[in-house]
Structures are given as C-alpha cells and as structure tokens.
Amino acid sequence: MTKSIKILERIYFGLLVIILLLIVFNSYFITRSFSRETMTSIVLSLGLFAAAYIVYSLYRREVAKNLEELEVLKQDKLGLEEKISEAFQYIGQLNVQIEEIRSVFSEVKKYPESKSELKYILDFLADKVLATTDIPWICFKVVEPGVSKLLAEHCKTRGNQQGQSTLRHDVNVRQLIDGTLPEGYTCFDSGHTNLDFRVYCLMPKQDLTKEQKMFIKAIMNQLEMFYLIFTSLSLNKNHDGGRVIGSSQGS
C-alpha cells in the first residue's frame, strides 16, 4: 500500500470517529445530561463502530492475502513464460539437429571410393557439426592406434577464419590416443575399439549441450562407417587403402 493511500485512510477513519462522537454526544449537547436512553445509544453506536472496524480489518487482511497470492501467480506466470520460451528454443534447436541428421543419411548418395570422394564426405560432415554448434573450427582425424599413425585428416573453419585450422598441429596422434590434450582443446572419438582405425573429432574447448554432444557422436559413427567402406572399396580396387592427404578450408 502506498504512503498516500495510508494517509487518506487515516483521514477517513479520523472523520468517521469525529462523526461517531458527534452522533453519540448529540443528545448531551442538547440536554446537557446523560439519560438512560442516551447511554444505551452511545453503547450501541460504539459497539456497531467496533464491529464495523473488526469487519474492515478482516477485509483488509483478506485483500492483502489475495494480493500476495496474485503476486505469486504473476511470478509463476513469468516463470512459465520463460520456461515455454526456453522449450520453444530447445525444440527449434532439436529440429535443426534432426534436419542435419536427416541430411547426413539422405544427401550422401554414394559411398566413397576415392580420396576425393572421401574428402567430400569429410567436408560435408564437418559442415554439419559447424552448423549445429558455435565452435570456430573442427578437425577430423583418422588414426591407427597400434602404430600411432595418422591415416586421414580434414579440418574446416567457420567463415574466413583460415588461421584457426593451424591449431590442429599442436595436437599429435599420441595425445589423441592417450587423451592427453593440451589446454584449450576437446576431442570426441568414435568409441569402437574392435577396428584397426579410430576416428577423432578435435575442436577448441567449448560448452556444448547434451544434444550437441550426441549429434557429434552420431557424426563420428557415420564417419567411421564411411571410412570403413572407403578402405574396403579401396583395397578391392587398388589393394592399398593409401593415405588421405589432410586438408583445411573455410566453411
């Protein structure tokens, strides 16, 4: 309740008290004496005034209680609106990721049989990761853990940030395998251990959502499958899987 309303309320009750006193002592001012009827009238008037004040106090208490509940409801409403906004934003991000995952399965019409075709798929998958995250660059590495050999590499930066892709040279194959990355880097791997090779996704350390991590993991599994098919087809054609030359370009 504001200060001005409190002042007006006090003035109102002051006037009521003055009016009540005038009514009660009206007969006294006229007769200059208190008769039995006058005393009864005074007592009844005071009783009615007291009852009215009690009712008014109860009314004020209920109003204050309702105002508090209304404020709570307003806060709940704001909280719900915020949660709904976050939910729509989350659904929008999920829709983007679902579309990107769908494109991974639908846009690749041909399994890679050459280095250039594998490079195209690596570039395509790198685009998908950059499209669903805010990371400035990404680097795919395919290694042979047994001999710490780099079999394939493809790096891509966002926009024209060409220089950032050179950061990949700070991390060697052994560090990827052992998980001993320098400060400022993070890495995802395909997770399968029963193959002769392993796929890694190197990027600058950044907070990612659970869904983004799941999406990158799915991309890694797809890349692993594409490379496995590539080596199988290459062996059938050339009897030598060869090494893919690493590349780097802007997105």
Side-chain angles (χ1 to χ4, degrees), residues 72-84:
V72 172
L73 290 175
K74 285 182 179 179
Q75 295 298 325
D76 291 343
K77 178 176 176 289
L78 291 175
L80 287 174
E81 288 177 348
E82 184 177 349
K83 289 180 180 179
I84 291 172

Side-chain angles (χ1 to χ4, degrees), residues 107-154:
E107 294 183 22
V108 179
K109 305 296 184 183
K110 184 175 181 291
Y111 291 124
E113 299 182 42
S114 64
K115 293 178 181 179
S116 60
E117 291 176 348
L118 179 61
K119 179 183 175 182
Y120 167 79
I121 289 179
L122 288 170
D123 191 70
F124 172 76
L125 295 178
D127 277 336
K128 299 306 174 186
V129 176
L130 292 175
T132 55
T133 64
D134 295 326
I135 56 176
W137 59 269
I138 186 176
C139 190
F140 290 134
K141 291 176 182 284
V142 184
V143 305
E144 187 177 347
V147 293
S148 300
K149 181 181 179 181
L150 181 65
L151 302 176
E153 181 183 58
H154 183 80

Side-chain angles (χ1 to χ4, degrees), residues 86-115:
E86 291 176 354
F88 277 115
Q89 184 178 1
Y90 175 75
I91 291 171
Q93 293 174 350
L94 283 183
N95 287 336
V96 170
Q97 292 177 1
I98 290 171
E99 287 301 319
E100 296 296 341
I101 292 174
R102 184 179 299 160
S103 67
V104 170
F105 291 99
S106 62
E107 294 183 22
V108 179
K109 305 296 184 183
K110 184 175 181 291
Y111 291 124
E113 299 182 42
S114 64
K115 293 178 181 179

Side-chain angles (χ1 to χ4, degrees), residues 90 94 97-98 100-101 104-105 128-129 132-133 188-190 201 203 208-222:
Y90 175 75
L94 283 183
Q97 292 177 1
I98 290 171
E100 296 296 341
I101 292 174
V104 170
F105 291 99
K128 299 306 174 186
V129 176
T132 55
T133 64
F188 292 85
D189 63 75
S190 52
C201 176
M203 63 182 69
L208 299 173
T209 65
K210 179 181 177 181
E211 290 72 25
Q212 288 173 328
K213 292 178 181 179
M214 291 175 60
F215 177 75
I216 294 174
K217 203 67 173 167
I219 290 291
M220 301 302 294
N221 290 332
Q222 285 297 111

Side-chain angles (χ1 to χ4, degrees), residues 15-242:
L15 292 174
L16 283 181
V17 170
I18 293 173
I19 293 172
L20 176 65
L21 292 174
L22 290 175
I23 294 173
V24 169
F25 292 100
N26 180 53
S27 60
Y28 174 77
F29 293 146
I30 296 173
T31 63
R32 294 294 176 175
S33 63
F34 286 107
S35 63
R36 185 174 182 180
E37 291 79 6
T38 300
M39 293 301 298
T40 303
S41 175
I42 291 173
V43 172
L44 289 175
S45 298
L46 291 174
L48 290 174
F49 183 81
Y53 183 79
I54 293 172
V55 171
Y56 174 76
S57 297
L58 294 175
Y59 169 76
R60 281 190 59 189
R61 186 181 301 174
E62 288 298 318
V63 170
K65 182 179 177 181
N66 290 335
L67 288 175
E68 289 179 1
E69 292 178 353
L70 182 61
E71 188 63 29
V72 172
L73 290 175
K74 285 182 179 179
Q75 295 298 325
D76 291 343
K77 178 176 176 289
L78 291 175
L80 287 174
E81 288 177 348
E82 184 177 349
K83 289 180 180 179
I84 291 172
S85 178
E86 291 176 354
F88 277 115
Q89 184 178 1
Y90 175 75
I91 291 171
Q93 293 174 350
L94 283 183
N95 287 336
V96 170
Q97 292 177 1
I98 290 171
E99 287 301 319
E100 296 296 341
I101 292 174
R102 184 179 299 160
S103 67
V104 170
F105 291 99
S106 62
E107 294 183 22
V108 179
K109 305 296 184 183
K110 184 175 181 291
Y111 291 124
E113 299 182 42
S114 64
K115 293 178 181 179
S116 60
E117 291 176 348
L118 179 61
K119 179 183 175 182
Y120 167 79
I121 289 179
L122 288 170
D123 191 70
F124 172 76
L125 295 178
D127 277 336
K128 299 306 174 186
V129 176
L130 292 175
T132 55
T133 64
D134 295 326
I135 56 176
W137 59 269
I138 186 176
C139 190
F140 290 134
K141 291 176 182 284
V142 184
V143 305
E144 187 177 347
V147 293
S148 300
K149 181 181 179 181
L150 181 65
L151 302 176
E153 181 183 58
H154 183 80
C155 299
K156 192 160 189 177
T157 58
R158 186 183 302 279
N160 297 319
Q161 303 177 51
Q162 295 284 351
Q164 300 216 37
S165 62
T166 60
L167 295 173
R168 70 184 188 277
H169 299 301
D170 296 340
V171 180
N172 58 47
V173 174
R174 194 70 254 170
Q175 289 172 315
L176 288 174
I177 297 172
D178 296 339
T180 56
L181 298 177
E183 186 68 24
Y185 293 90
T186 187
C187 186
F188 292 85
D189 63 75
S190 52
H192 298 118
T193 58
N194 60 335
L195 297 174
D196 294 333
F197 65 90
R198 200 160 189 176
V199 181
Y200 294 90
C201 176
L202 181 67
M203 63 182 69
K205 183 173 288 186
Q206 185 170 322
D207 291 332
L208 299 173
T209 65
K210 179 181 177 181
E211 290 72 25
Q212 288 173 328
K213 292 178 181 179
M214 291 175 60
F215 177 75
I216 294 174
K217 203 67 173 167
I219 290 291
M220 301 302 294
N221 290 332
Q222 285 297 111
L223 178 53
E224 185 180 66
M225 181 194 70
F226 284 131
Y227 190 81
L228 180 63
I229 294 172
F230 164 72
T231 54
S232 300
L233 294 176
S234 297
L235 285 172
N236 290 336
K237 280 191 172 184
N238 306 319
H239 303 288
D240 183 11

